[in-house]
Amino acid sequence: MIKAKSSKIGDGIVVFLCVLLILLCFLPVWNVFVRSLSSPQSLIKNDVYLWPKEIDFTAYSLVLKDSKYNWSLAWTAMLTVGCTVLSMTMTILCAYPLIFDKLKGRKIINSFILITMYFSAGTIPNYLLFKDLGLINSPFVLAIPFTLSVFNMIIMRTFLQNIPESLRESAEIDGANPVRILISIYLPLSTSVIATLSLFYAVGRWNGYSDALFFMPQNKTYYPIQLLLYFIIQSKESVEAATQEGFSTPGASDAIKAAAVMFATIPILMVYPWLQRYFITGVTLGAMKG
Amino acid sequence: MTAEAQALKARKRYKARLYYKRYWTLYAMLALPVIYFVIFKYIPMTYLQIAFKDFSITKSAWEMDWAGNNGFEYFIKAFSDRDFFYALRNTLMLNLLGLALGFPAPILLALVLNELPYKRFKKITQTVAYMPHFLSWIIISGLALQLFATRFGLVNTVLRNMGFESIQFLDKPTNWVWTYIFVGIWQSVGWNAIIYLAALTGINPELYEAAAVDGASRMRRIWHVTLPGLRSTIIVLLILRMGYIVASDFDQPYAMSNTLVTSVSNVLSVFVYNRGIKGTQKSLAAAVGLFQSVVGVIFVIGTNQIAKRFGERGLW
Amino acid sequence: MKKILAFLVSTLILVSVMAPLALAEDAGFVDGKFTETRTITVALFDRNTDGAIVGDNVYTDFIKEGMLDTYNVNVEFEITPRWTEGEDIATYLAAGTAADVSYSYNGPIDTYFQQDAILDLAPLLEEYAADLTDLTDFLGTNITWKQDPYTGAINAIPARRMNIARINTFVRKDWLDALGLEVPTTTQEFEDMLIAFRDNAELLLGDDADMMVPFAMTEDVGWEANNILYSFVADVDTTDKINYIYGYDDRQFLLPGIKEGVRLLNKWYNEGLILQDFSLYTAGDETVGNLMKAGYVGAFEANWDNPYRNGEESVSYMLQQAQGDDAIFIAIDPFQNDAGLTKKVNYQSNGIYIFFPSTNTEPLASLLYLNWMAKFENRFFLQTGVEGINFEYTEDGTLKAIAAEAGRYKMISSNNGDLTMIINGLDLGDVEKTSAAMALGYANVDPELIKNAYAVALTNGVSYSNISLGTVAAEDGMSEVLKEKRNETLNTSIVASVEDFDAVFDAGMADYLSSGGQAIIDERMEKYTTAFGE
């Protein structure tokens, strides 16, 4: 079929917008990358924008050789995978039963859960609770307390609700119990939302550092990579203290900071393209079956 | 009891048994999440009572003394602080602007991406678009300075080279607000679009073909097929977002603020941070936090009801 | 669950309040030593220093052996990240997990004491005075620094700050030479010098002329222009009384006369003599430091040794790398007040505050820890290290620090500052020896520059005496808020136009005062007149 001319113009506009967007989003990240490859002198002159000046790999060699970065990266990856699996399991366990209109107590449970999204206790109460549970400075504090996100659960539930009830009803008539229905019908149709939420959980865990900062400050072995990064990069508070102390410790150079940022960011950036193949049409398959 | 009543009762019991036999697995599934919520959300919540009490480091929340004025002293203290109202105003202003501009943005992005004819290009654009989300606000504020500083920022240097005057992106309160919103959108649009893109895959392609056969132009197809397909996702996300209308993020305002724009950059989270966390007025901080939560819930309930009026399913 | 938690927590509180009372008279302490081994925990900061092993090195070993030997006390270190010190302390105190010996610079210690979260040290200091002579001798008046004049309670002891040099003004010597200028000795000459820098940008910077920054500052104007502003305070107003009432703000913001100093900065700003974006850069931002290192900055004010710190990463060293060996910053002293004196604020002798949480069950052992640390031979070793590895003697007998290899001998921070918390700054026992060693302690920097900077920073220095009249209730929880308003007022009035200056400054000051500043002044005024009369 020959494409109409207006459609071609439309395509053109769309492509133009996308190119603009790519530039806007990519260039700043590119800038950080480029800085990591530049020499300290050129960074000081604030000369580096689009191209590395006086290419210098020392920052990377320092970062890559340092075992504490490598270990932290590996550990964070393991932690992320484990947490994502745990979180997705909890999310599905929570969301699925709530799509059954006939379930007694459904409304109460819904409100019960929703309230926790807006009322939260805060850091000190959490700290005290974790202390009583023995979670302070334990790596488990990174995995358990924040494992289920109500927001994500609601997304999952909404998605599951949009799958035609006819599919479920016919299975129920055939005598299938809810677990079987979940496994044989809902899960296969939910690959795109499962992929999406897994991505959300994974990125949340990978990028998160404040829970380690508050609740696991003394267990350096299990610092997530972003916490390591945080200590290298942040400088706002440190100067006040340095002023008082009369001595200061040299912070990391600009190049090392940039290299560390790249080191900590690139792995997770690669996850989405990899997950994209799971974003296939789920509902259409179901419609065809029906 | 009459025979009829007995039969009714028996039938009810039978139905109940049937119900539990069929649905007990669902309750079993819910058990774990519910326990989780009780332990990790509700128990710590008992500490919210410190909003009504005089905070003391050494006493447990149950032992602390009740605050003056029937426990409302810290609420009164907060509301009578002029800075509190500036903070509230700033929070609302930034959130509403952010909502008006930032909520449609990912939807538009998803629509634009959906119209891309080249699959490879689409994949690349998606991946690149969500990169900014991964930079922490500390890094982004550094980048923003590099770009927008009046004297040494790249944008202004280019403007001056082209013969224009510098623009004070970060020095003047009004300009700062726009810069703040723009940077916020830049950081989140690609990421937020992911949900919509996932939802778009759920739209039946046959609907598109049918529309094309009917001779619908691109815009009409978007209006009649794509958007309706996204409708429930949009509504849910909007309701959820309304709950955060007085909540305030901390990272972005704190990282991007400077002393010249505190009249607009001091939001409630910064207000609380300065007084409650750096200072010692934990009860005040808790009172403000509680206020934010309550208002948020009211907004969520309100929006949910409105959505239901329009025939949507709502959140509960 | 809630009830159990509440019960546990309240029992814990009860026990920890009882404990110090019970230990007021320690029967297990005989002849200056404990009969049974006691254990204490001491907070130790972690700065992520490359190559140093924070909890396990020759210095921590030295401390542990020494304490065991001398007092039969076992010391365990609790490591916390340095930069989160402020917030963490509150959390640890609330949870009852703070180390027995804890530290804080600016924490709300009085509030902690009011809430019974930390101990009163006065009774023990009195009871065991004979065993704590090293401590009391070394700290001198610092011991009673925070003593409440009405109750006699001492809730914290400040470390002794050995080096009270505070802020210096630095200028590019080579630029002065290039323009044939003398080193400025008055404020007017300084201003003329800045104008000369601005107008001769091509001569000084060639192609980079548009990068010229005559005077650099960051958003913390109160610090980065402190000497200039202070020179506008009348000489008669540099008294302890004025400081007590109006100087509680660490930037001298409320001292009479400051406004005219800010007006001068406003004038300079409008003439293009001050870095235009200064208020966007926090003090920690590298951009301004980088401008100095690249050679674009003519003058600035900062900590007395600011450009010389950090060896190869110092402003001084990198400047020479960028612009040649002649490019150096020297400390100068031009800002005269109305009496012709270049007065500048020096530090008082208090450093970080040391306190004991109320969960501390061994307060005597903890005080003895501080006493042990105060003994000269102990702190000398901790501050200097091992000869040949951490330092060496030069020909004329001056001690010179050398960078140790990574490993157990490497110090976490300069002069092991994090271990020797009782002392802030180097002390070799002799003032001459110490200054000489200090001058050699800056790698990659000419010692003469250090000596000059140090001398200048102390010239006409004003080190206020400590006046302790008890807690000022109006200050509770206000410090961060007022700090923000102070910075806001200073910065907005500097960038305002010359005509608007008065309006902006006055409005900002009014806001500061009405937000709690005035209440503090009033309370302090009252306390002072009650104690000392008019």
Side-chain angles (χ1 to χ4, degrees):
Chain A
M1 189 167 78
I2 304 172
K3 255 192 170 168
K5 195 167 170 215
S6 62
S7 172
K8 275 222 173 117
I9 295 180
D11 276 354
I13 298 180
V14 165
V15 169
F16 173 71
L17 286 175
C18 287
V19 168
L20 199 62
L21 183 72
I22 290 183
L23 284 178
L24 266 180
C25 293
F26 184 66
L27 288 180
V29 181
W30 176 250
N31 174 272
V32 178
F33 175 64
V34 147
R35 303 185 113 228
S36 66
L37 285 177
S38 304
S39 72
Q41 283 76 27
S42 52
L43 287 175
I44 283 175
K45 292 177 91 173
N46 215 18
D47 235 354
V48 183
Y49 291 107
L50 281 183
W51 218 249
K53 294 247 165 82
E54 296 163 21
I55 296 198
D56 190 353
F57 286 103
T58 37
Y60 276 110
S61 64
L62 280 173
V63 172
L64 288 170
K65 257 193 262 172
D66 194 334
S67 59
K68 78 170 176 260
Y69 291 109
N70 291 322
W71 160 248
S72 181
L73 195 67
W75 157 248
T76 313
M78 287 192 285
L79 180 70
T80 304
V81 170
C83 285
T84 307
V85 169
L86 179 65
S87 294
M88 276 319 295
T89 313
M90 289 285 274
T91 310
I92 295 177
L93 283 181
C94 189
Y96 178 65
L98 295 175
I99 67 176
F100 286 80
D101 292 325
K102 294 195 218 103
L103 192 73
K104 293 200 185 159
R106 191 179 72 119
K107 279 208 160 161
I108 299 179
I109 298 181
N110 268 334
S111 315
F112 176 80
I113 294 178
L114 203 65
I115 290 180
T116 68
M117 218 168 56
Y118 297 105
F119 286 89
S120 79
T123 312
I124 291 193
N126 277 333
Y127 187 92
L128 293 172
L129 176 69
F130 298 162
K131 184 170 92 84
D132 288 329
L133 293 174
L135 287 174
I136 296 292
N137 284 325
S138 147
F140 285 105
V141 82
L142 301 179
I144 300 181
F146 302 105
T147 183
L148 179 49
S149 153
V150 179
F151 182 84
N152 290 352
M153 192 281 292
I154 290 182
I155 304 256
M156 176 109 233
R157 194 190 65 189
T158 309
F159 187 90
L160 293 176
Q161 278 167 339
N162 281 340
I163 293 177
E165 285 192 40
S166 48
L167 292 170
R168 186 198 339 150
E169 278 161 15
S170 55
E172 277 185 329
I173 291 175
D174 286 346
N177 70 46
V179 179
R180 259 199 69 194
I181 297 179
L182 172 68
I183 298 179
S184 53
I185 299 183
Y186 282 89
L187 285 185
L189 292 180
S190 313
T191 46
S192 63
V193 79
I194 291 181
T196 310
L197 294 180
S198 300
L199 180 67
F200 286 177
Y201 278 124
V203 170
R205 178 62 272 166
W206 183 273
N207 278 353
Y209 65 90
S210 57
D211 54 349
L213 183 63
F214 294 137
F215 307 121
M216 204 187 72
Q218 278 140 338
N219 197 339
K220 286 181 85 166
T221 325
Y222 293 113
Y223 273 5
I225 188 91
Q226 293 290 346
L227 187 60
L228 226 50
L229 201 65
Y230 174 75
F231 282 130
I232 295 173
I233 292 193
Q234 58 94 42
S235 56
K236 209 167 180 179
E237 320 299 315
S238 62
V239 177
E240 187 67 43
T243 313
Q244 303 266 22
E245 282 168 340
F247 58 84
S248 60
T249 26
S253 72
D254 274 350
I256 295 208
K257 286 186 191 180
V261 171
M262 286 287 111
F263 188 75
T265 310
I266 288 181
I268 197 72
L269 277 179
M270 297 294 110
V271 173
Y272 182 53
W274 179 78
L275 272 179
Q276 274 202 326
R277 61 182 128 132
Y278 293 104
F279 284 40
I280 52 174
T281 46
V283 180
T284 17
L285 278 177
M288 284 188 206
K289 261 198 207 162
Chain B
M1 210 189 281
T2 63
E4 274 175 36
Q6 267 186 320
L8 205 65
K9 232 176 141 201
R11 258 228 311 276
K12 273 201 178 152
R13 249 181 294 142
Y14 173 71
K15 270 197 171 162
R17 267 220 313 275
L18 208 64
Y19 172 82
Y20 285 116
K21 186 164 174 225
R22 170 177 284 173
Y23 287 143
W24 73 271
T25 45
L26 291 182
Y27 288 104
M29 284 177 146
L30 277 175
L32 197 57
V34 167
I35 294 176
Y36 166 82
F37 281 115
V38 168
I39 298 182
F40 289 103
K41 305 285 175 194
Y42 279 95
I43 290 187
M45 262 198 233
T46 58
Y47 281 88
L48 285 173
Q49 64 182 296
I50 65 176
F52 298 97
K53 292 188 165 178
D54 286 328
F55 183 77
S56 164
I57 287 191
T58 44
K59 300 187 190 159
S60 79
W62 302 96
E63 293 166 350
M64 293 179 203
D65 300 320
W66 287 100
N69 280 314
N70 294 320
F72 281 95
E73 169 156 356
Y74 291 103
F75 290 92
I76 295 176
K77 212 172 167 193
F79 294 146
S80 52
D81 188 335
R82 201 180 25 179
D83 287 336
F84 173 79
F85 282 102
Y86 286 136
L88 183 61
R89 176 202 71 182
N90 291 341
T91 308
L92 279 172
M93 171 179 67
L94 292 178
N95 280 348
L96 286 173
L97 270 178
L99 186 69
L101 296 173
F103 189 77
I107 302 175
L108 288 173
L109 176 61
L111 291 176
V112 166
L113 283 176
N114 200 41
E115 294 297 316
L116 262 186
Y118 317 108
K119 268 223 148 85
R120 258 268 170 96
F121 190 43
K122 180 175 173 184
K123 216 176 177 184
I124 295 177
T125 314
Q126 269 179 269
T127 311
V128 171
Y130 89 146
M131 276 186 185
H133 174 83
F134 290 87
L135 301 173
S136 75
W137 279 108
I138 301 177
I139 300 184
I140 296 180
S141 65
L143 282 173
L145 266 187
Q146 258 199 304
L147 284 175
F148 297 123
T150 318
R151 177 81 166 73
F152 288 121
L154 180 61
V155 173
N156 277 316
T157 313
V158 166
L159 281 176
R160 278 193 301 265
N161 283 344
M162 296 204 308
F164 297 108
E165 288 258 320
S166 317
I167 302 179
Q168 294 181 291
F169 291 104
L170 297 169
D171 301 35
K172 297 260 184 280
T174 334
N175 294 353
W176 184 89
V177 171
W178 291 113
T179 312
Y180 177 91
I181 302 280
F182 170 70
V183 172
I185 294 181
W186 170 83
Q187 195 253 10
S188 61
V189 69
W191 179 255
N192 287 338
I194 293 181
I195 292 189
Y196 296 111
L197 286 169
L200 282 174
T201 64
I203 299 179
N204 195 337
E206 287 172 5
L207 292 170
Y208 283 116
E209 282 164 28
V213 162
D214 283 349
S217 72
R218 186 196 297 270
M219 293 305 286
R220 302 212 93 196
R221 260 184 284 141
I222 293 179
W223 187 256
H224 289 286
V225 179
T226 320
L227 279 180
L230 285 179
R231 189 176 146 140
S232 51
T233 314
I234 294 179
I235 303 272
V236 166
L237 290 178
L238 185 62
I239 299 177
L240 287 173
R241 183 131 173 198
M242 288 306 282
Y244 292 110
I245 201 80
V246 277
S248 69
D249 194 20
F250 178 77
D251 290 351
Q252 189 187 356
Y254 190 69
M256 281 190 68
S257 68
N258 62 68
T259 49
L260 297 180
V261 297
T262 44
S263 58
V264 286
S265 72
N266 268 1
V267 290
L268 283 174
S269 59
V270 177
F271 176 86
V272 163
Y273 179 74
N274 280 340
R275 279 166 184 67
I277 303 195
K278 279 259 163 122
T280 47
Q281 301 179 43
K282 296 261 173 3
S283 293
L284 182 70
V288 173
L290 192 59
F291 165 76
Q292 288 178 290
S293 299
V294 169
V295 173
V297 167
I298 293 177
F299 267 88
V300 165
I301 295 179
T303 326
N304 200 50
Q305 293 304 103
I306 295 178
K308 280 191 163 168
R309 283 291 157 82
F310 280 90
E312 285 298 321
R313 194 191 280 267
L315 282 183
W316 70 90
Chain C
M1 179 69 137
K2 299 184 285 208
K3 285 218 180 109
I4 299 177
L5 282 181
F7 173 78
L8 283 174
V9 174
S10 33
T11 320
L12 192 68
I13 307 299
L14 214 56
V15 168
S16 52
V17 166
M18 290 278 141
L21 292 176
L23 287 173
E25 168 77 38
D26 198 326
F29 186 65
V30 175
D31 283 339
K33 207 166 168 172
F34 287 100
T35 48
E36 276 169 25
T37 314
R38 307 295 177 95
T39 304
I40 60 170
T41 50
V42 176
L44 179 55
F45 292 138
D46 180 356
R47 296 168 192 271
N48 275 319
T49 310
D50 263 333
I53 311 169
V54 92
D56 185 16
N57 49 51
V58 296
Y59 310 105
T60 51
D61 285 348
F62 176 72
I63 294 178
K64 290 185 185 191
E65 278 162 27
M67 280 298 289
L68 212 52
D69 233 11
T70 320
Y71 298 119
N72 201 7
V73 171
N74 183 23
V75 173
E76 273 163 24
F77 289 104
E78 256 181 38
I79 304 177
T80 40
R82 174 68 183 95
W83 309 128
T84 52
E85 167 238 330
E87 290 98 41
D88 277 0
I89 275 284
T91 315
Y92 296 148
L93 283 174
T97 56
D100 288 330
V101 182
S102 291
Y103 317 102
S104 177
Y105 272 113
N106 296 317
I109 294 177
D110 292 329
T111 313
Y112 295 151
F113 186 64
Q114 256 164 21
Q115 296 183 351
D116 293 324
I118 60 182
L119 297 178
D120 175 9
L121 301 174
L124 279 170
L125 283 169
E126 210 185 296
E127 165 126 27
Y128 291 97
D131 299 288
L132 297 170
T133 49
D134 299 292
L135 185 65
T136 42
D137 285 347
F138 177 65
L139 287 183
T141 52
N142 272 22
I143 286 274
T144 49
W145 191 278
K146 277 187 73 53
Q147 180 159 44
D148 187 311
Y150 305 109
T151 63
I154 297 178
N155 54 32
I157 305 177
R160 179 165 159 200
R161 185 186 283 275
M162 303 303 296
N163 177 354
I164 58 173
R166 193 165 172 257
I167 298 181
N168 255 339
T169 313
F170 296 99
V171 102
R172 285 283 293 278
K173 181 73 169 64
D174 53 319
W175 282 12
L176 289 175
D177 294 339
L179 296 179
L181 294 170
E182 295 288 324
V183 171
T185 52
T186 66
T187 310
Q188 186 57 53
E189 284 175 21
F190 188 83
E191 180 176 319
D192 293 335
M193 175 193 79
L194 292 181
I195 295 177
F197 286 163
R198 181 195 66 194
D199 294 339
N200 287 292
E202 275 103 39
L203 175 65
L204 296 170
L205 290 175
D207 286 333
D208 290 325
D210 58 337
M211 301 290 282
M212 161 63 71
V213 177
F215 188 76
M217 285 201 305
T218 65
E219 68 159 10
D220 194 358
V221 169
W223 186 263
E224 310 244 333
N226 197 264
N227 289 356
I228 300 175
L229 293 174
Y230 195 66
S231 70
F232 281 84
V233 176
D235 198 69
V236 298
D237 285 336
T238 57
T239 59
D240 290 330
K241 175 182 179 185
I242 298 272
N243 183 58
Y244 179 74
I245 299 173
Y246 299 100
Y248 61 87
D249 167 277
D250 191 34
R251 302 292 190 256
Q252 288 68 48
F253 177 55
L254 295 165
L255 293 185
I258 289 290
K259 182 176 174 183
E260 293 312 306
V262 186
R263 189 191 301 277
L264 182 65
L265 291 175
N266 167 270
K267 173 173 173 247
W268 288 359
Y269 184 82
N270 283 298
E271 290 179 8
L273 300 175
I274 296 183
L275 174 63
Q276 190 179 6
D277 293 327
F278 77 90
S279 53
L280 298 179
Y281 299 114
T282 61
D285 194 290
E286 307 92 31
T287 312
V288 181
N290 284 346
L291 289 172
M292 296 176 195
K293 291 177 183 174
Y296 303 135
V297 174
F300 68 97
E301 243 180 55
N303 306 33
W304 75 273
D305 62 350
N306 182 288
Y308 313 125
R309 286 183 180 177
N310 295 325
E312 278 180 11
E313 313 245 344
S314 65
V315 168
S316 172
Y317 182 73
M318 304 218 77
L319 175 63
Q320 287 177 320
Q321 299 296 97
Q323 299 282 359
D325 281 344
D326 289 334
I328 50 174
F329 276 109
I330 57 168
I332 62 171
D333 201 10
F335 303 112
Q336 298 177 18
N337 62 10
D338 60 346
L341 298 170
T342 55
K343 280 200 172 169
K344 48 187 85 73
V345 178
N346 281 164
Y347 283 115
Q348 296 172 291
S349 67
N350 60 327
I352 202 169
Y353 290 101
I354 306 170
F355 55 88
F356 302 166
S358 49
T359 47
N360 182 338
T361 50
E362 302 284 356
L364 177 58
S366 311
L367 276 176
L368 291 171
Y369 175 81
L370 298 175
N371 189 64
W372 184 90
M373 193 65 77
K375 290 180 197 276
F376 180 70
E377 58 278 10
N378 294 334
R379 50 186 172 85
F380 179 79
F381 172 69
L382 289 172
Q383 288 201 311
T384 55
V386 177
E387 185 173 356
I389 302 181
N390 301 101
F391 71 90
E392 61 196 7
Y393 284 108
T394 60
E395 286 156 2
D396 55 1
T398 318
L399 192 137
K400 178 175 171 185
I402 50 183
E405 300 259 313
R408 304 194 80 243
Y409 284 89
K410 182 145 182 163
M411 295 186 182
I412 312 168
S413 48
S414 111
N415 300 128
N416 263 327
D418 293 317
L419 285 172
T420 56
M421 295 306 280
I422 200 90
I423 177 175
N424 183 337
L426 184 65
D427 179 26
L428 299 180
D430 177 285
V431 175
E432 291 274 324
K433 281 194 197 159
T434 310
S435 325
M438 238 172 47
L440 292 182
Y442 290 82
N444 306 101
V445 177
D446 179 3
E448 290 306 314
L449 289 173
I450 309 290
K451 286 189 192 156
N452 176 52
Y454 191 55
V456 168
L458 294 176
T459 310
N460 290 318
V462 178
S463 178
Y464 291 111
S465 315
N466 175 43
I467 301 181
S468 174
L469 297 174
T471 317
V472 180
E475 278 177 9
D476 190 24
M478 293 309 293
S479 72
E480 194 68 25
V481 173
L482 290 178
K483 196 163 85 162
E484 292 262 325
K485 289 185 187 284
R486 169 196 79 205
N487 288 348
E488 196 186 324
T489 307
L490 286 172
N491 293 4
T492 47
S493 41
I494 292 179
V495 305
S497 69
V498 176
E499 302 84 44
D500 292 337
F501 172 76
D502 280 287
V504 176
F505 185 90
D506 293 338
M509 176 62 88
D511 184 31
Y512 182 96
L513 292 174
S514 67
S515 302
Q518 188 63 53
I520 298 178
I521 293 177
D522 293 338
E523 188 176 335
R524 283 180 168 254
M525 176 91 75
E526 198 202 309
K527 281 185 138 72
Y528 192 89
T529 45
T530 316
F532 300 111
E534 283 297 322

